[in-house]
Amino acid sequence: MTVYLVGAGPGDPGLMTARALELIALADVIIHDRLIPVSALDGARADAQLIYAGKQGGGEQVPQAEITRLLVEHGRVADIVVRLKGGDPFVFGRGGEEAEALVEAGIDFQVVPGVTAGIAASAYAGIPVTHRDLASSVAFLTGHEDPDKPGSALDWAALAAFPGTLVVYMGVRHLQAIAARLIAAGRAADEPAAVVQSGTLPGQRTLVATLATIAARASEARIGAPAIAIFGPVTALHGQLRWLERRPLHGVSVAVTRAREQGSRLAERLQALGAAVILAPVIRTKSLPGPPPDLGSYDLICFTSPTGVEALFERLDAAGLDARAFPGSERTRVAAIGPATARALAARGIRADIVPAQAVGEALAEALAGLPVARALVARAREARDVVPESLRAHGAEVDVVAVYETVVEPLDEQTLEAVAGTDYITFTAASTVRNFLAAAGGAQAWLARGSARPRVVSIGPVTSAELRAQGLSPDIEAQSHDIDGLVDALVSA
């Protein structure tokens, strides 16, 4: 039985350590803070006990004594307890106190360091806390000391004279007093200063001023927690080195309505470009059981989505088969509706022979029209359109349509709908996402009535756009390439 004091990093899920993710996946109990990455618990076991132990400056608190009690209580009975803390547990995280309590209770513990905000948020703001020419040292200090102390434990005179960068954690509410104390103790009032709010997250904001003016400027800009303050000449480099804010979708919010397993991949693409993403999946895909078809009996095998590829291979796998079930003869061709489907096949060791430029059924049907096809298989969703099989039959082919998966409605709650309504863009990747989203919203008119500042509507292609219009909602943007790459390109170009 071991308690692991684990740093979850400053907020960007990509900054979580491999060890942190490994322990989250193994944990019986996870006692977590408020300021952990939103996806930090996605890898937890379904039967793991998740206990919220968050704190918020000036807001609701879970007392430290209660957190310590929980650690000791669960540490005595559970094999693996993870105390998941934002940033690093030993940098203003009270991890040292928790470790002391565990030692006193005779409970084994280990520490897994995390990337701390003082370094990460500064770096994401383009502010190196050390610099060969500007700062050879850095000091971290808290702007929120123990209120029960008789006085400040900080030596303001020493800090004012410190010949390097000062990084202040949890100090945004006391910024005026902190700056005044430093100036009164002799630090230059015109020294460059910065505040970084929501560091490493898509909504990160950086404000640069001077030590004398930073508090007033932060108040005017409504800068709030979580935030760090940085004092020293290095902050002047923000204008030159602010790489995060130069990403093409920085400051843009996007709602993703496709199935969660696919939406997460799209969300990762958008987040890498700087967007804040709201996942609002209105469908999920469900593989349909059944025997694998005899692939050797067809001279054309068609796939109309990456999900269809995965679902068919699930059937092959269940029967003890793999890619070798595909005939090796040149007589049999494999067709993919678009590049994403072709990539899914390639990942399984199958190269698509036919891939139309546009990922729509009409383009695939046209690409197949000139081929001599006697017998074809179309592996697809249960509710898919019949454009491809009807075209093949019109050209004399015998066609077997095998529904290898179906889409199932995922309900959306009011809180998610409100979050989506506040985004800049909402994306639709299939007609089913349009129908299900608008059904959850009470119809197009009810959705439009939520306010004039509704998100702009982004469609993946003409079929989805036609469904939007049929439902009473016009697309503002349609991707030129009717796949996820095209959808992302459309957002970047908007």
Side-chain angles (χ1 to χ4, degrees), residues 57-82:
E60 295 183 1
Q61 305 277 340
V62 176
Q64 184 62 41
E66 173 63 11
I67 297 172
T68 302
R69 185 194 68 77
L70 288 168
L71 284 174
V72 172
E73 175 186 314
H74 291 284
R76 283 177 170 150
V77 296
D79 285 337
I80 297 177
V81 177
V82 168

Side-chain angles (χ1 to χ4, degrees), residues 140 164 167-168 205 255 263 269 318 324 328 373 397 405 478 491:
F140 300 112
V167 179
V168 185
R205 298 169 65 201
R269 292 276 307 278
R324 287 171 292 183
V373 179
Y405 72 98
E478 182 179 292
L491 281 165

Side-chain angles (χ1 to χ4, degrees), residues 40-293:
L41 301 176
D42 288 355
R45 288 172 13 207
D47 62 340
Q49 185 176 358
L50 307 180
I51 301 173
Y52 175 72
K55 299 179 181 180
Q56 183 170 359
E60 295 183 1
Q61 305 277 340
V62 176
Q64 184 62 41
E66 173 63 11
I67 297 172
T68 302
R69 185 194 68 77
L70 288 168
L71 284 174
V72 172
E73 175 186 314
H74 291 284
R76 283 177 170 150
V77 296
D79 285 337
I80 297 177
V81 177
V82 168
R83 170 69 171 115
L84 192 62
K85 306 167 75 70
D88 181 278
F90 277 13
V91 180
F92 304 123
R94 305 192 74 169
E97 299 166 52
E98 293 170 358
E100 287 178 303
L102 292 168
V103 169
E104 195 172 305
I107 298 170
D108 288 338
F109 77 94
Q110 294 183 24
V111 180
V112 179
V115 180
T116 186
I119 294 173
S122 301
Y124 272 52
I127 300 173
V129 292
T130 63
H131 187 283
R132 184 167 183 171
D133 299 323
L134 301 174
S136 296
S137 55
V138 58
F140 300 112
L141 55 145
T142 177
H144 182 74
E145 293 186 86
D146 186 345
D148 295 327
K149 288 180 181 179
S152 175
L154 296 174
D155 186 336
W156 293 101
L159 289 170
F162 183 72
T165 307
L166 298 179
V167 179
V168 185
Y169 289 66
M170 300 172 289
V172 68
R173 288 193 299 138
H174 307 291
L175 200 54
Q176 181 66 55
I178 292 168
R181 283 186 166 183
L182 288 170
I183 292 170
R187 202 159 180 103
D190 61 352
E191 178 179 65
V195 177
V196 183
Q197 178 184 11
S198 300
T200 78
L201 297 173
Q204 175 179 307
R205 298 169 65 201
T206 304
L207 186 148
V208 176
T210 65
L211 184 59
T213 61
I214 189 67
R217 291 284 308 282
S219 177
E220 291 169 5
R222 298 182 182 273
I223 298 289
I228 62 162
I230 311 163
F231 307 140
V234 291
T235 62
L237 294 174
H238 164 72
Q240 179 184 353
L241 304 182
R242 53 190 182 96
W243 61 271
L244 185 77
E245 296 163 22
R246 292 193 176 101
R247 294 188 298 177
L249 295 180
H250 180 75
V252 173
S253 55
V254 183
V256 173
T257 59
R258 71 190 320 220
R260 185 172 296 276
E261 60 271 20
Q262 300 163 326
S264 296
R265 293 192 288 273
L266 173 57
E268 289 171 2
R269 292 276 307 278
L270 296 173
Q271 287 165 344
L273 294 170
V277 178
I278 298 292
L279 285 176
V282 294
I283 60 170
R284 62 182 173 86
T285 57
K286 178 183 176 183
S287 296
L288 296 173

Side-chain angles (χ1 to χ4, degrees), residues 361-420:
E362 288 78 2
L364 179 58
E366 184 178 347
L368 297 173
L371 295 178
V373 179
R375 192 158 186 256
L377 168 71
V378 179
R380 66 176 207 184
R382 188 198 295 277
E383 61 282 353
R385 298 187 305 141
D386 289 324
V387 172
V388 172
E390 286 181 355
S391 175
L392 288 168
R393 289 182 182 121
H395 287 83
E398 177 187 345
V399 182
D400 290 336
V401 175
V402 179
V404 290
Y405 72 98
E406 64 180 349
T407 57
V408 181
V409 176
E410 282 277 2
L412 290 182
D413 56 30
E414 181 60 28
Q415 183 178 4
T416 303
L417 285 169
E418 282 298 313
V420 171

